Amino acid sequence: MTQLAPLAKDGHFDELHKNTGDLAEHWKTFFEQLEPTGLVDFDQKTHELNRQIRENGITYNVYADEYGPQRPWSVDLFPLIIDASAWQEIESGVLQRARLLEVIMADVYGEQNLLKEGWIPPALIHGHPGYMRSMHGVTPKGKKHLHVIAFDLARSPDGKWSVLSQRTQAPSGLGYLLENRNLIARQFSKAYEAMQISPLATAYRGLIESLKSQSPAGANAHIALLTPGPYNETYFEHAYLARYLGLTLVEGSDLTVRDQHVFLKTVRGLEPVHILLKRLDDEFLDPLELRADSTLGVPGLLQAIRAGNIILANAPGSAFLESPALLGFLPGISERLLNEEIQLPAMDTWWCGERAALEAAIPHLEMSAIKPTYPYSPGHTSYEACLGGSLNQSQLDEWIGRIMRQPADYTVQTYIPLAQMPVWLNAFNLNNASLIEPRSYMLRVFALSNGTDNWQVLPGGLARIATSDSGIASMQRGGSSADVWVQGHQKHYLDATQAQQPIKTAMQRKRLVTSRAAENLYWFGRYTERSENILRLAKLYLESINSEYTPSKQLWTWLETLCAQYGLVPDGVPSNLDQSENRHRIFERTLIDCLDKSDHVTSVGYNLNAMKRTASGIRERLSTEQWSTINYCIDNFHAGCHKATTYQDFSPSLAIEALNRASSSLAAITGAQTDRMTRDDGWQLLAIGRHIERLSFLTSVLDLAVSSGLLNNPNVDNSGYMALLALFDSTITFHAQHQQSRELEPLIELLVLDDENPRSLAWVSKALRARLSKLAGTERNQPDELTRSVTNLQDYSLENLCLRDASGSFNNLRNCFGNCSYSAWSVSDEISARYFNLIHEIDYRVQT
């Protein structure tokens, strides 16, 4: 084992060997649980881990990634294992610091004795852009400012832990570390159980119960998680946390303030929100009082907080606590406010705004990190943190000059080599390299509120691992992560008093559907149905023109018109009816080439990606399997289309194969929509979207078939007859009912009037009316105006629809199609006005 696990680099603490050359006891226990296979199956475990990450859609935006803003989340196979004694040191120090930061917030926004007595320089408070003067004198609801705090820790070469930074505005990682635990514990289940690794769930439950206990609504308090939206780099964990904790995931546009109370805009009206767990930096919270250009916040939110009508976790105005300059003043403040010496020290830190600190810092610059005192803001120098050891003498002199010109903008912190933990390297990508390699890491741990005056430390954390050529552990710079196992830590967070109290049962709350989520669900349904429809159309075209029978002119014209109408090919592509030597099959080749394109076409690939975009806005409502199936469908379709256009010169057979595989995946997606989603208002709108799309597509297909003469002589040329049945996915049903009949009447009966065929106009219109009635809360025998506007095919007779006029035209049939199409689009407009834009004349009363 020691041959495969080299010692950490000189100057770094070695987690694996504890700087002794022998394996640490807890790592011995870990590796002993791998028998009998040992390291043999680690490559397979790595492959399985990466597959699970892709299937679960775990992503993180990496701005330094030259290949794009997103990449799959990166987690190493080995966990970081912390024994009980080391964790006790971390836990006691973090609990003390959490208490300390809370009393600092209370003082700074209260009596400000720390400023009056000179414990904190005023420039670090009043000069910090994150200090909110409008919140001075405000005691938050529940009398607690902070509920979630993250601390970034480093381990020095002597094994001691030190604080590098603290995050209080909207600390990230709580969702990712949960996912890491799920992924890694599954790979090493035997070791996880044998080593008695502390579970995480209790701490999350304690946070939610603590928040509810501070709200007047108590156990019935409505908690929402405020996210910047799907384009934020950590949106995955926002959706993951909302699903895990059972919270409503909201964006700023989902909320409104009325009479100094915060409400959620839902399809049923306004619902009160009592608690907001925010993942949004303070400056974006309220465009009325903070950044006027913010589209992420809620106008009037700060006034609602001042009025005591909502709890915000964390309370706005804590950004000044994140300044690295403050770390140097905390030991003194701890003695002043807590009468306690600081237990978990920070790295030696000098704020250059003080003359003595400036003079002390300059000689240490070469062995320190230079960090901005303030975040980017007008009036303050903006720069990236820099390691003095990476600078040559000329660069060092330049930095000294900058610091001397604006010393208050610079904070200098002693740099130590980060401790190193083992990481597994995939042997398939190596050339005689070690399988286990030490890499530098930084540990993020979380203090979570557990009552008005109580805190708990999440027994685990998020380890961020540096790249092999970097001493900086940052996910933004392409680093990796690791699960954190705390060994033998069996502390229970409910004390004896709490354990004896009966647990209050909350009133069951019906799941709320925001107007934004409702619109995404509606379009998720529409794009799913649209993808199925045009996929079937593209497949029918390719199979028809490559069959053993030459398609009739009417069939060819009908198919090509539909393909152009639904954007499968760009405008102006020559028809395959042109049989000249140089232009033959241009239409077919173009269609194959455009199957996965988005320029000038609304192709199958375009609609599949649109389906995914709408689904990404409701990630918290979709199961992992459902999201995985969507990604699998798109990835495989892209690969299949690439194969069809690259290797086989626009091969119809390979294109049909790609379409068939996508069709199977879409069947799984629609099956999950039908069987794996709760029948709430959101699902009703998803189903309505699908029915509207299906009704519109099928009426258009039938109307064009009739107007183009495709059905004029079905007994002579039945190719159009059979093509219609295929496009309606009704071939088997037709043959079972009518055998080999090619008469017009049975076709119209099955595709138009049969209310038991899910692909007939009658069934779709009946289902659409049922969903609209359910959404409106009306009885089927007393439909509302919107439900009544959907064409009822029971009002039409087969004899009347099949009747031809003097010129041989099916006017009655086409009028029926026109009515169906019009009702579909009018319902769509009305749905948008009533439930998404909230402009319909409907009573949107506040629900209490």
Side-chain angles (χ1 to χ4, degrees):
M1 178 62 64
T2 54
Q3 292 178 349
L4 293 177
L7 294 171
K9 298 175 183 177
D10 290 342
H12 297 260
F13 182 81
D14 191 331
E15 288 287 347
L16 190 60
H17 301 95
K18 291 293 178 93
N19 292 351
T20 64
D22 296 325
L23 286 178
E25 286 301 319
H26 49 280
W27 280 105
K28 279 184 182 179
T29 304
F30 175 81
F31 285 115
E32 285 170 358
Q33 301 304 315
L34 303 180
E35 301 297 343
T37 58
L39 307 182
V40 173
D41 63 348
F42 270 31
D43 283 332
Q44 181 59 38
K45 286 181 180 291
T46 302
H47 175 77
E48 171 65 20
L49 181 63
N50 292 332
R51 182 191 64 79
Q52 196 67 52
I53 289 172
R54 288 194 304 271
E55 289 188 355
N56 291 359
I58 312 173
T59 57
Y60 182 85
N61 284 6
V62 183
Y63 301 129
D65 185 358
E66 62 179 328
Y67 298 105
Q70 281 200 340
R71 69 163 185 175
W73 177 248
S74 180
V75 56
D76 192 72
L77 191 61
F78 286 140
L80 171 65
I81 306 173
I82 302 177
D83 60 33
S85 60
W87 181 253
Q88 186 170 357
E89 175 189 346
I90 292 172
E91 183 179 46
S92 59
V94 166
L95 286 173
Q96 182 194 50
R97 281 183 173 267
R99 290 188 290 115
L100 179 59
L101 295 184
E102 175 62 33
V103 295
I104 291 174
M105 281 288 290
D107 179 79
V108 166
Y109 286 99
E111 296 181 358
Q112 296 193 338
N113 290 322
L114 293 174
L115 288 168
K116 296 173 184 175
E117 298 172 14
W119 292 98
I120 303 178
L124 295 183
I125 306 298
H126 294 148
H128 196 286
Y131 173 72
M132 293 188 181
R133 290 166 176 79
S134 60
M135 296 300 294
H136 184 259
V138 177
T139 301
K141 196 72 176 177
K143 300 182 179 180
K144 193 161 190 175
H145 294 81
L146 304 176
H147 302 268
V148 180
I149 310 174
F151 296 90
D152 291 326
L153 309 180
R155 203 168 195 181
S156 59
D158 61 2
K160 298 296 183 181
W161 295 93
S162 300
V163 176
L164 290 176
S165 61
Q166 52 204 23
R167 295 286 178 263
T168 56
Q169 288 189 85
S172 63
L174 282 173
Y176 286 116
L177 72 85
L178 263 179
E179 188 67 14
N180 281 2
R181 174 60 55 87
N182 292 334
L183 293 168
I184 302 305
R186 186 182 300 125
Q187 299 296 330
F188 302 109
S189 56
K190 186 178 178 182
Y192 182 83
E193 182 178 354
M195 298 178 74
Q196 297 184 335
I197 304 304
S198 300
L200 303 172
T202 304
Y204 288 88
R205 180 185 175 190
L207 171 65
I208 297 302
E209 292 181 347
S210 168
L211 289 169
K212 288 185 174 182
S213 69
Q214 297 171 51
S215 170
N220 295 318
H222 179 198
I223 308 178
L225 192 152
L226 178 61
T227 172
Y231 298 108
N232 182 263
E233 65 267 23
T234 57
Y235 179 74
F236 165 82
E237 82 161 357
H238 304 172
Y240 183 89
L241 274 176
R243 185 167 60 242
Y244 179 79
L245 300 175
L247 311 182
T248 306
L249 186 65
V250 301
E251 298 179 23
S253 58
D254 295 326
L255 303 173
T256 186
V257 175
R258 305 281 177 87
D259 297 326
Q260 300 183 16
H261 288 76
V262 179
F263 295 95
L264 177 66
K265 292 182 281 189
T266 78
V267 295
R268 295 294 178 187
L270 299 180
E271 291 279 351
V273 176
H274 306 101
I275 302 166
L276 270 181
L277 185 62
K278 70 180 177 71
R279 293 304 310 272
L280 194 63
D281 283 348
D282 291 347
E283 62 179 322
F284 297 101
L285 284 174
D286 188 342
L288 293 183
E289 298 191 39
L290 302 171
R291 284 187 57 158
D293 62 344
S294 172
T295 60
L296 304 177
V298 186
L301 181 59
L302 289 190
Q303 183 55 38
I305 296 170
R306 286 193 293 266
N309 294 327
I310 189 166
I311 294 174
L312 202 66
N314 290 334
S318 68
F320 72 90
L321 292 174
E322 297 182 348
S323 173
L326 195 66
L327 293 175
F329 298 93
L330 292 184
I333 296 174
S334 178
E335 295 184 6
R336 165 65 178 81
L337 296 180
L338 304 181
N339 294 318
E340 298 173 4
E341 291 186 1
I342 206 83
Q343 297 179 34
L344 188 62
M347 302 303 302
D348 291 338
T349 306
W350 298 273
W351 175 53
C352 295
E354 291 185 319
R355 183 71 183 179
L358 173 63
E359 293 175 351
I362 293 299
H364 295 89
L365 207 61
E366 191 174 359
M367 299 173 291
S368 303
I370 307 168
K371 298 183 176 181
T373 302
Y374 309 102
Y376 172 76
S377 60
H380 294 294
T381 305
S382 176
Y383 61 93
E384 292 286 337
C386 176
L387 295 180
S390 66
L391 305 174
N392 58 38
Q393 189 58 48
S394 174
Q395 293 170 327
L396 202 59
D397 291 341
E398 184 179 343
W399 274 98
I400 293 174
R402 295 179 193 173
I403 295 172
M404 298 300 292
R405 287 191 292 274
Q406 289 183 290
D409 288 349
Y410 295 84
T411 297
V412 176
Q413 188 177 73
T414 298
Y415 173 77
I416 60 169
L418 297 176
Q420 295 192 328
M421 64 171 286
V423 298
W424 175 258
L425 302 178
N426 190 327
F428 295 117
N429 296 325
L430 298 175
N431 293 315
N432 299 320
S434 172
L435 298 179
I436 300 177
E437 180 179 292
R439 295 272 178 90
S440 299
Y441 76 91
M442 186 161 59
L443 174 63
R444 172 165 289 191
V445 296
F446 294 85
L448 306 180
S449 173
N450 192 28
T452 304
D453 299 314
N454 296 325
W455 289 89
Q456 57 186 324
V457 180
L458 189 73
L462 184 69
R464 289 175 289 171
I465 304 172
T467 56
S468 59
D469 57 349
S470 169
I472 300 177
S474 169
M475 302 301 294
Q476 288 282 346
R477 301 192 183 190
S480 184
S481 70
D483 188 18
V484 178
W485 289 10
V486 175
Q487 186 183 24
H489 183 74
Q490 300 297 328
K491 178 176 179 179
H492 297 284
Y493 289 106
L494 294 176
D495 61 27
T497 303
Q498 290 174 304
Q500 293 172 5
Q501 294 178 349
I503 297 176
K504 296 180 180 179
T505 303
M507 176 182 65
Q508 184 177 3
R509 177 186 295 277
K510 187 176 181 179
R511 188 174 192 180
L512 301 175
V513 183
T514 68
S515 297
R516 175 187 55 81
E519 186 168 14
N520 278 319
L521 284 162
Y522 173 76
W523 280 102
F524 181 37
R526 290 198 65 169
Y527 278 122
T528 303
E529 184 69 26
R530 190 176 297 180
S531 297
E532 278 196 304
N533 291 336
I534 66 168
L535 184 153
R536 190 175 289 109
L537 174 59
K539 180 184 170 187
L540 177 62
Y541 177 82
L542 293 174
E543 288 179 339
S544 296
I545 67 171
N546 288 283
S547 69
E548 58 180 318
Y549 303 107
T550 303
S552 66
K553 179 179 180 180
Q554 288 83 0
L555 176 59
W556 217 323
T557 301
W558 176 68
L559 285 173
E560 291 188 349
T561 303
L562 283 175
C563 288
Q565 179 179 321
Y566 284 94
L568 287 172
V569 294
D571 293 336
V573 178
S575 168
N576 269 14
L577 287 171
D578 183 353
Q579 296 293 321
S580 65
E581 184 69 24
N582 297 326
R583 300 173 74 95
H584 183 48
R585 300 177 94 74
I586 290 179
F587 194 97
E588 175 192 1
R589 293 165 64 89
T590 304
L591 186 144
I592 294 172
D593 186 49
C594 291
L595 281 176
D596 197 33
K597 295 270 181 29
S598 57
D599 297 336
H600 310 296
V601 289
T602 51
S603 63
V604 176
Y606 173 90
N607 282 285
L608 288 174
N609 282 294
M611 176 186 68
K612 180 179 178 179
R613 283 196 300 273
T614 55
S616 69
I618 48 169
R619 279 290 300 274
E620 77 283 5
R621 289 179 165 267
L622 304 180
S623 67
T624 300
E625 293 81 5
Q626 201 168 352
W627 180 253
S628 173
T629 304
I630 293 171
N631 285 311
Y632 177 84
C633 174
I634 293 173
D635 292 344
N636 277 272
F637 184 69
H638 175 75
C641 291
H642 179 72
K643 184 179 178 181
T645 57
T646 304
Y647 304 111
Q648 295 291 333
D649 191 27
F650 304 102
S651 166
S653 61
L654 291 177
I656 292 171
E657 179 184 342
L659 291 167
N660 281 331
R661 295 175 68 180
S663 180
S664 298
S665 295
L666 279 170
I669 293 169
T670 56
Q673 291 175 357
T674 302
D675 295 334
R676 299 291 182 90
M677 299 182 72
T678 305
R679 281 355 189 222
D680 59 5
D681 291 339
W683 184 88
Q684 301 296 337
L685 284 161
L686 183 151
I688 287 169
R690 291 197 62 187
H691 295 328
I692 287 175
E693 194 67 35
R694 185 177 298 183
L695 190 60
S696 172
F697 178 77
L698 295 182
T699 53
S700 176
V701 165
L702 279 170
D703 187 58
L704 184 61
V706 173
S707 65
S708 65
L710 189 67
L711 302 176
N712 284 350
N713 297 294
N715 285 311
V716 177
D717 176 15
N718 66 9
S719 60
Y721 198 98
M722 298 307 299
L724 262 177
L725 288 172
L727 198 53
F728 272 68
D729 197 20
S730 298
T731 303
I732 295 175
T733 304
F734 183 84
H735 286 163
Q737 294 180 3
H738 304 286
Q739 289 75 48
Q740 292 298 312
S741 172
R742 295 297 180 263
E743 300 298 327
L744 181 63
E745 286 77 5
L747 184 72
I748 298 302
E749 182 179 28
L750 179 65
L751 302 188
V752 179
L753 298 179
D754 188 346
D755 62 4
E756 294 183 355
N757 175 17
R759 292 285 170 179
S760 77
L761 303 188
W763 186 94
V764 177
S765 63
K766 183 177 74 171
L768 179 56
R769 289 197 306 276
R771 298 279 74 80
L772 289 170
S773 181
K774 183 74 173 179
L775 189 63
T778 60
E779 298 295 332
R780 290 196 181 188
N781 58 356
Q782 294 179 332
D784 65 338
E785 182 181 354
L786 182 57
T787 305
R788 289 196 303 270
S789 70
V790 179
T791 301
N792 188 349
L793 273 297
Q794 291 179 348
D795 298 336
Y796 294 85
S797 69
L798 179 61
E799 182 181 4
N800 184 266
L801 291 178
C802 295
L803 187 65
R804 298 187 186 216
D805 62 13
S807 63
S809 300
F810 294 94
N811 286 332
N812 293 341
L813 186 59
R814 295 198 64 194
N815 287 336
C816 172
F817 297 154
N819 291 336
C820 288
S821 181
Y822 177 80
S823 67
W825 293 112
S826 62
V827 166
S828 178
D829 292 341
E830 190 72 9
I831 286 287
S832 296
R834 179 177 297 189
Y835 296 108
F836 309 150
N837 301 325
L838 307 183
I839 60 175
H840 191 272
E841 293 181 1
I842 192 169
D843 185 10
Y844 280 102
R845 293 173 293 180
V846 172
Q847 305 295 313
T848 58

